[in-house]
Amino acid sequence: MTTKKHIISLLSEIADPEIPVITIVELGVVRDIEIITNSSIHLKITPTYSGCPAMKQIEDDVKKKLMENGFTDINIETIYSPAWTTDWITPEAKEKLKAYGIAPPEHTSEDKSWLTGKPKTVQCPQCKSSNTKLISQFGSTACKALYQCQDCLEPFDYFKCI
Amino acid sequence: MDLKTALFNYTLRLGDTNLILGQRLSEWTGHGPFLEEDLALTNIALDITGAAKSFLEYAASVENKGRTEDDLAYFRNDRQFFNVQLTELPNGDYARTIVRQVFMDCFDFYFYQELSKSKDETLAGIAQKSIKEVTYHLRHSSSWVERFGDGTNESHIKAQNALNELWQFTDELFEMNEVDEVLIKEGIAVDLSIVKTKWDQYITELLNKSTLSKPENVFMQTGSRKGVHTEHLGYILAEMQALPRMYPNAKW
């Protein structure tokens, strides 16, 4: 019988379609795995953002990966509760984001400074300066905000806390 | 009215309101006043359309007649849509788009807070998801209302004109009918009078801060709960539905 651990290792080979340096497991979108038989499996995934266009791609990638590994009956269910949060991104994945040039979420979603609009410090992933400025709450994808470093002047994406 | 019919209608109303607003906002894509705003509105449109998909998917499963969310979006006529009229109105200038958006964001912000406590797990889940996104939307639209109102003479006039024109469509947000009645009893739907109090307070404070005046004694439009709309809905549906109606099995 296939183990959950084995399935997780298979799914860990699937990169996020928009941020290819992290896997869908590290991102925290895989919520539950139920192995029914050696060929039948039920998965629960949750979207990062409601309209995230990558969800369909992720579903297709998961199906392809599982089919290549002998599963013929694959049922993927999208769940909304509990809602995805940036807290589910693993610490290793946050380091990978930084190395890729995307500033990882700075605080946990429990931190409400972003709600009150109080500015917070986001470190530039290029030169590590903390002298950075928010350009726009909305960036190149739904999950990111746009910042600019005031020291090296490089604009960069910030993975915002939700 | 039985529970299933009420739940289908309620979910459809939420889906339609998000779908039409998302479609309207997406008209700004590539036409925003500057790049960051273009991206912002496109992102917001995407979140809202995403919420529409979740609600319509659920409506289709509640109805259980083999229709999908796409069937509901593309193969109904205007009289079968239950979105609030505010969402179907043309974008107008940027001040008008932003004033409409702050009305909707503020409504959604308080509405989803209540809906996240619903006894219906799916509705509560979608609300918990959406509230995180709407918080960003509300901050965005509020900051623009403040900038327009307290900005130049021209921006102030445009924001005030938008307020005066759109205010008549705000009452509809809080209308309740038999659908709400049936579902409130079951702890599923939101009592919109709670949302109205909070909405009023937030908008009044925001307008004061923005040196804008709240329109008084306005005749209030109504109709969408019965499927009655302004002339604008037909046109937006024609554009949105043309392709799937011409090629019903199109895939891309």
Side-chain angles (χ1 to χ4, degrees):
Chain A
M1 185 79 180
T2 316
T3 61
K4 261 192 196 182
K5 212 171 152 192
H6 176 61
I7 300 295
I8 290 173
S9 77
L10 285 177
L11 297 180
S12 296
E13 292 167 20
I14 303 172
D16 176 82
E18 279 171 354
I19 313 164
V21 288
I22 59 174
T23 74
I24 59 166
V25 174
E26 289 172 319
L27 190 62
V29 302
V30 180
R31 300 315 302 164
D32 196 30
I33 299 167
E34 192 192 338
I35 303 158
I36 299 155
T37 67
N38 268 340
S39 63
S40 174
I41 190 164
H42 183 91
L43 284 179
K44 284 182 183 164
I45 58 172
T46 193
T48 51
Y49 277 75
S50 303
C52 181
M55 285 315 286
K56 181 78 178 69
Q57 182 70 42
I58 290 176
E59 229 182 282
D60 290 349
D61 289 349
V62 167
K63 271 191 192 149
K64 186 164 172 275
K65 175 65 74 183
L66 292 174
M67 278 168 92
E68 285 167 1
N69 286 277
F71 285 93
T72 46
D73 178 24
I74 304 157
N75 180 355
I76 301 176
E77 186 189 349
T78 305
I79 57 161
Y80 297 98
S81 181
W84 182 84
T85 150
T86 33
D87 297 349
W88 293 349
I89 303 178
T90 62
E92 299 78 41
K94 285 184 183 170
E95 284 307 312
K96 288 188 199 169
L97 281 173
K98 206 186 273 182
Y100 188 59
I102 299 171
E106 283 283 342
H107 307 281
T108 74
S109 59
E110 290 305 312
D111 173 62
K112 291 289 182 251
S113 65
W114 55 275
L115 258 176
T116 53
K118 265 200 316 217
K120 67 172 164 197
T121 321
V122 173
Q123 201 187 50
C124 169
Q126 305 295 339
C127 74
K128 316 292 175 230
S129 162
S130 295
N131 184 16
T132 59
K133 192 175 86 175
L134 172 72
I135 304 288
S136 173
Q137 282 294 349
F138 300 90
S140 57
T141 63
C143 52
K144 289 177 249 154
L146 193 61
Y147 272 73
Q148 189 182 22
C149 179
Q150 303 285 83
D151 283 333
C152 74
L153 303 181
E154 199 66 33
F156 63 92
D157 274 331
Y158 167 61
F159 208 117
K160 59 193 180 197
C161 295
I162 64 165
Chain B
M1 185 180 288
D2 64 83
L3 193 63
K4 190 181 145 185
T5 312
L7 185 59
F8 173 66
N9 278 299
Y10 191 69
T11 311
L12 205 55
R13 186 201 292 170
L14 301 179
D16 288 349
T17 292
N18 279 291
L19 180 67
I20 300 301
L21 183 62
Q23 177 75 11
R24 264 295 177 236
L25 279 183
S26 68
E27 288 172 10
W28 276 107
T29 306
H31 302 274
F34 54 93
L35 185 62
E36 285 78 10
E37 269 310 287
D38 197 304
L39 279 175
L41 273 197
T42 304
N43 269 308
I44 293 167
L46 187 63
D47 287 343
I48 292 173
T49 309
K53 180 180 181 281
S54 309
F55 283 124
L56 291 179
E57 216 169 44
Y58 186 46
S61 87
V62 170
E63 186 191 40
N64 199 17
K65 283 186 185 162
R67 287 205 280 186
T68 66
E69 70 268 26
D70 280 353
D71 294 330
L72 290 174
Y74 298 131
F75 296 96
R76 279 181 300 145
N77 296 334
D78 54 351
R79 288 300 295 267
Q80 295 159 324
F81 270 77
F82 299 100
N83 58 287
V84 290
Q85 292 177 357
L86 184 62
T87 57
E88 71 207 31
L89 302 174
N91 287 328
D93 58 21
Y94 211 63
R96 197 178 151 123
T97 295
I98 289 294
V99 168
R100 179 185 61 202
Q101 201 53 34
V102 89
F103 287 165
M104 292 306 301
D105 291 343
C106 182
F107 174 83
D108 285 343
F109 183 74
Y110 293 117
F111 176 75
Y112 287 139
Q113 278 180 11
E114 296 301 317
L115 191 65
S116 65
K117 301 176 225 158
S118 170
K119 281 191 182 149
D120 184 294
E121 273 176 30
T122 308
L123 289 181
I126 299 171
Q128 281 158 25
K129 178 88 231 147
S130 299
I131 185 103
K132 294 176 174 228
E133 298 164 5
V134 167
T135 309
Y136 277 97
H137 303 170
L138 180 60
R139 211 170 118 192
H140 169 261
S141 53
S142 301
S143 77
W144 274 108
V145 168
E146 214 175 319
R147 244 184 284 184
F148 283 146
D150 200 15
T152 64
N153 194 29
E154 181 73 14
S155 72
H156 179 91
I157 292 171
K158 287 192 171 172
Q160 189 62 54
N161 284 347
L163 265 175
N164 297 346
E165 281 171 39
L166 297 179
W167 194 262
Q168 60 186 312
F169 294 97
T170 56
D171 222 29
E172 247 202 353
L173 289 167
F174 310 103
E175 273 180 22
M176 288 185 277
N177 59 14
E178 202 191 338
V179 170
D180 303 73
E181 235 170 77
V182 172
L183 295 176
I184 287 173
K185 257 186 229 151
E186 299 295 324
I188 293 172
V190 171
D191 179 351
L192 293 175
S193 63
I194 299 172
V195 180
K196 187 175 168 50
T197 312
K198 294 180 176 170
W199 185 91
D200 267 333
Q201 194 186 348
Y202 183 96
I203 295 292
T204 306
E205 275 172 27
L206 177 67
L207 295 184
N208 283 341
K209 209 162 48 173
S210 315
T211 71
L212 293 162
S213 27
K214 192 166 125 180
E216 302 285 347
N217 302 322
V218 175
F219 173 82
M220 288 295 183
Q221 300 288 344
T222 179
S224 73
R225 296 286 193 257
K226 296 193 185 92
V228 177
H229 293 276
T230 67
E231 66 172 301
H232 307 291
L233 183 66
Y235 292 99
I236 195 172
L237 289 184
E239 193 184 7
M240 189 179 81
Q241 298 180 336
L243 194 123
R245 288 204 185 217
M246 240 185 286
Y247 305 97
N249 297 313
K251 293 250 185 294
W252 62 87

